[in-house]
Amino acid sequence: MDSTTKNTIIIVGAGFVGTTLAWYLSKHTNQRIILLDKKHASQGVTQHAFAWLNVSYGRPDAYSQLRKQALAQWRSLDEHTQGQLNIQWSGAISWQDNETATASFIDEHQKNHFNVKALNKNALQKMEPNLCTLPTLAAFCPDEGSVDPVYATQTLLKLAIDQGIIYLPQHEVLSLVQEGQRILGVITEHGTFLADQTVITAGIDATALIGSIGVKLPVSASPSIIVHINAPDEKPLVQHIISTPEMELRPASTGKILCAEDYLSDRPEHSADCIAQNALTVIKNSFIGSDTLNLEKTFIGMRPMPKDEMPIAGKVADFEGLYIISMHAAITLAPLICQLAQDEILHGIEHTALGPYRLTRFASGN
């Protein structure tokens, strides 16, 4: 298929970021929007996201504030989609290695105006009645939540299609169409698509695409392990997102628990299956009534990780008609970044909030 239509925006990558951007653009422009994916929407790294919508504690203050704004944008997105994304605003419970560290965590973030509450043992027991290993002090962040990343992506995609976007799965982008310093579109295995603007939201694949025009994208693959656990009992075992030095888990769909684990190495004892089994053991030792829990499946997700771990969003310097979005915390940040990006793409403005996250910051060797 060839496309010579002007007033066209191409988005490469139909993960959660690309689909969210398509939705925002479709609400604010009558331009032709084409969303391409080499497979199907949400079937890349999106399907392996833990999808905890949170503020990144312990990060630079400006970045934590960005993520706080992102949570507010999630609330707005929830409202504008009339609750169709099924966001679970359960809040998150966490504690550190000891009471002093947890108290410091709570105090520091309260001083920075984050909504963090202290829980003693009794309060924690009421919120998580099945938890049998109780710290003396825990932190509760009521504004945080989670979402099924595949369901949310597919729901936004349907809404975007209803608003007029063109979605083309199984259209792998092989290269960019370049004329001097202007990007005119993309070449896929099914033909050439021309556009006024091309937006790359292709995760790890963005590195090769951007590299093909001589631009280095300092993004590498960062593996993480996602464990799906069956919880057959009718009564939910876990009520909130829980993050501790020993475990990170959340309730997923009915009868399911999702667990996130660090990828340690490629040694046999650190295989995804071994890590998953260890995680299941920790959870069974931590919750009453967990004997029926069993492993369903385990995945290693390859997340795009910028060199300094901060998002990359904006025009690609020295090239007209090319925009890039690449970030590690894609699920949390996507609604805010895409809302700002659609404004930049459509109106050629530059948002101050995205200033620290331009690709040009790496030009000095950062």
Side-chain angles (χ1 to χ4, degrees):
M1 175 179 178
D2 292 333
S3 173
T4 57
T5 304
K6 288 298 183 182
N7 296 319
T8 298
I9 300 170
I10 289 173
I11 303 171
V12 180
F16 187 71
V17 176
T19 303
T20 301
L21 179 62
W23 181 84
Y24 275 105
L25 286 169
S26 68
K27 287 183 68 66
H28 292 91
T29 183
N30 291 322
Q31 291 188 55
R32 190 173 187 230
I33 300 163
I34 302 174
L35 177 62
L36 304 170
D37 196 89
K38 70 176 183 179
K39 294 181 180 177
H40 292 273
S42 76
Q43 295 307 299
V45 69
T46 294
Q47 66 180 318
H48 304 315
F50 187 58
W52 172 11
L53 312 179
N54 69 339
V55 174
S56 185
Y57 303 103
R59 295 283 187 167
D61 183 61
Y63 179 60
S64 291
Q65 291 294 339
L66 184 80
R67 289 181 65 144
K68 185 179 179 181
Q69 294 170 35
L71 292 189
Q73 190 62 34
W74 263 104
R75 298 276 182 177
S76 176
L77 180 62
D78 195 11
E79 180 180 344
H80 281 93
T81 55
Q82 300 178 319
Q84 294 181 67
L85 301 182
N86 290 349
I87 304 165
Q88 303 300 309
W89 295 111
S90 63
I93 295 170
S94 65
W95 60 86
Q96 310 299 314
D97 288 313
N98 54 63
E99 182 178 355
T100 301
T102 302
S104 176
F105 171 90
I106 295 169
D107 182 60
E108 176 187 349
H109 292 94
Q110 286 178 342
K111 286 179 180 177
N112 287 316
H113 308 292
F114 293 111
N115 190 8
V116 182
K117 304 179 185 302
L119 301 176
N120 60 23
K121 273 190 176 184
N122 289 336
L124 177 57
Q125 189 73 81
K126 289 179 181 178
M127 294 179 68
E128 287 291 342
N130 297 314
L131 191 62
C132 59
T133 305
L134 298 167
T136 54
L137 181 66
F140 178 54
C141 303
D143 296 338
E144 299 183 351
S146 63
V147 68
D148 180 329
V150 173
Y151 177 82
T153 301
Q154 293 175 349
T155 301
L156 280 176
L157 176 61
K158 181 181 182 302
L159 293 173
I161 291 172
D162 290 344
Q163 290 164 183
I165 78 151
I166 299 168
Y167 165 56
L168 298 175
Q170 296 182 302
H171 277 63
E172 182 174 4
V173 173
L174 306 175
S175 62
L176 300 173
V177 180
Q178 181 181 359
E179 184 179 88
Q181 297 305 111
R182 178 165 178 75
I183 302 303
L184 301 177
V186 300
I187 298 173
T188 77
E189 54 192 347
H190 298 293
T192 298
F193 294 80
L194 302 181
D196 299 286
Q197 298 198 68
T198 300
V199 186
I200 309 296
T201 63
I204 292 302
D205 291 342
T207 304
L209 269 181
I210 298 294
S212 69
I213 58 171
V215 176
K216 182 179 180 181
L217 184 65
V219 172
S220 59
S222 174
S224 67
I225 298 172
I226 296 294
V227 183
H228 294 249
I229 296 174
N230 286 315
D233 293 344
E234 291 184 9
K235 189 175 180 180
L237 184 73
V238 182
Q239 311 296 322
H240 304 80
I241 302 157
I242 297 178
S243 178
T244 80
E246 292 80 29
M247 58 185 172
E248 188 166 282
L249 70 158
R250 68 171 179 85
S253 56
T254 303
K256 306 286 184 182
I257 293 172
L258 207 61
C259 183
E261 294 290 330
D262 292 332
Y263 178 89
L264 301 177
S265 75
D266 58 1
R267 294 167 57 181
E269 63 268 32
H270 294 155
S271 70
D273 289 339
C274 287
I275 294 291
Q277 190 59 59
N278 290 339
L280 180 62
T281 300
V282 169
I283 293 170
K284 284 187 172 183
N285 290 338
S286 302
F287 288 88
I288 300 168
S290 57
D291 292 345
T292 58
L293 296 183
N294 59 85
L295 294 176
E296 179 187 4
K297 52 190 176 182
T298 304
F299 297 101
I300 298 177
M302 304 303 289
R303 306 163 298 178
M305 181 67 78
K307 184 179 178 181
D308 60 1
E309 302 184 3
M310 296 293 107
I312 298 172
K315 298 175 182 177
V316 177
D318 300 326
F319 287 91
E320 186 180 352
L322 184 61
Y323 198 99
I324 176 79
I325 302 176
S326 181
M327 49 196 176
H328 160 60
I331 306 296
T332 294
L333 290 174
L336 177 62
I337 299 295
C338 291
Q339 189 269 335
L340 296 172
Q342 64 87 19
D343 214 11
E344 296 195 333
I345 292 165
L346 294 178
H347 305 297
I349 63 175
E350 292 193 356
H351 278 287
T352 303
L354 294 180
Y357 308 112
R358 306 302 188 189
L359 180 57
T360 51
R361 72 182 184 269
F362 296 102
S364 60
N366 293 336

